[in-house]
Amino acid sequence: MNNTFEENLKKLEQLTTDIKRSDISLEDALKDFEEGIKLASGMEKQLDEIEGKIQILMNEPAPMTKENPPQFELFNDDGEVNGTRK
């Protein structure tokens, strides 16, 4: 089951709260700690994937819109593109 990042964060916060309880047994605290470490590791991978997607989106050219028209100055009147004949 793949949880969302937000669901995993909420679970990690709950584990952290449970570990801090004064009435928790050492065994239960250790179990919660291990689960929290695994969860944090998975969340780190999720963040890396999100960061990669953001980098791709940031490097994509902006879509052509009225505010971002195509750049025709690359083409000369004589059919050359950047000084190269087509």
Side-chain angles (χ1 to χ4, degrees), residues 47-61:
L47 284 175
D48 288 343
E49 290 173 11
I50 291 167
E51 183 180 8
K53 289 177 184 178
I54 290 172
Q55 288 297 324
I56 289 169
L57 292 171
M58 295 295 289
N59 291 322
E60 282 185 359

Side-chain angles (χ1 to χ4, degrees), residues 10 13 29 37 45 50 57:
K10 188 171 186 168
E13 289 171 346
I37 293 295
K45 289 177 186 173
I50 291 167
L57 292 171

Side-chain angles (χ1 to χ4, degrees), residues 24-42:
I24 192 169
S25 71
L26 181 59
E27 291 166 352
D28 286 342
L30 181 58
K31 183 184 78 153
D32 287 352
F33 181 75
E34 286 177 309
E35 186 178 348
I37 293 295
K38 289 177 187 174
L39 196 55
S41 177

Side-chain angles (χ1 to χ4, degrees), residues 9-21 24 32-33 36:
L9 183 59
K10 188 171 186 168
K11 176 67 176 170
L12 188 58
E13 289 171 346
Q14 183 60 51
L15 289 169
T16 302
T17 299
D18 288 347
I19 289 172
K20 293 177 182 178
R21 286 187 0 237
I24 192 169
D32 287 352
F33 181 75

